[in-house]
Amino acid sequence: MYVHLAGSGSTYFVPHALLALGVSGVLASVAWRLFALRARGVRVRGVCVKHTYAKNGVAVVARFQTASGETFRCLGPARAVASARVGEPIDVVYDPRRPKNAEVHPVSYGVAYSLSILALIIAVPGLGILYWILG
């Protein structure tokens, strides 16, 4: 297949377009994982096993068991005050297809939507550059 390039300097922009599309693909993949958790997630009762401290607060580490009996851990969001004490029960949502994909309940859509929009914002210029190069 013969491809006609738009201008002599247009090949300079190919790596830029591919980088934009690659970054967009990674962001979309992470967003897809988050949406999958929300779409097919199973809610189970876990237990808070410890706290971890970050700049923006305290996060709980929860241990939970899947329907098949496997045990996993997940990290809750950092908050000003821990949502549970060590040893207390806590709700966890996990993806039955990928149990490592889990979050402490409640699960929000904010990050998933933000990553989706960011992926789209980065993909459009990348596609535009490719269209310009190949056009």
Side-chain angles (χ1 to χ4, degrees):
M1 179 175 139
Y2 177 74
V3 177
H4 179 288
L5 297 177
S8 61
S10 62
T11 55
Y12 169 78
F13 293 102
V14 171
H16 298 86
L18 295 177
L19 177 64
L21 293 174
V23 168
S24 176
V26 168
L27 291 173
S29 173
V30 172
W32 180 261
R33 180 178 166 254
L34 293 172
F35 279 123
L37 178 62
R38 281 135 191 88
R40 62 179 175 249
V42 175
R43 189 171 168 177
V44 295
R45 198 72 159 165
V47 64
C48 175
V49 292
K50 72 176 190 175
H51 297 135
T52 183
Y53 301 92
K55 282 192 259 183
N56 51 348
V58 181
V60 298
V61 177
R63 183 181 63 233
F64 66 97
Q65 199 169 26
T66 65
S68 65
E70 293 178 280
T71 302
F72 292 92
R73 289 183 178 207
C74 71
L75 181 65
R79 297 188 174 139
V81 178
S83 59
R85 294 182 193 166
V86 174
E88 283 186 343
I90 191 165
D91 288 334
V92 174
V93 177
Y94 77 94
D95 182 350
R97 294 183 191 171
R98 292 187 171 162
K100 288 182 181 179
N101 184 13
E103 288 186 18
V104 172
H105 186 74
V107 177
S108 68
Y109 283 95
V111 174
Y113 281 124
S114 299
L115 290 176
S116 298
I117 291 169
L118 188 58
L120 185 61
I121 289 171
I122 293 172
V124 169
L127 290 172
I129 292 170
L130 282 181
Y131 179 77
W132 171 71
I133 292 170
L134 299 175

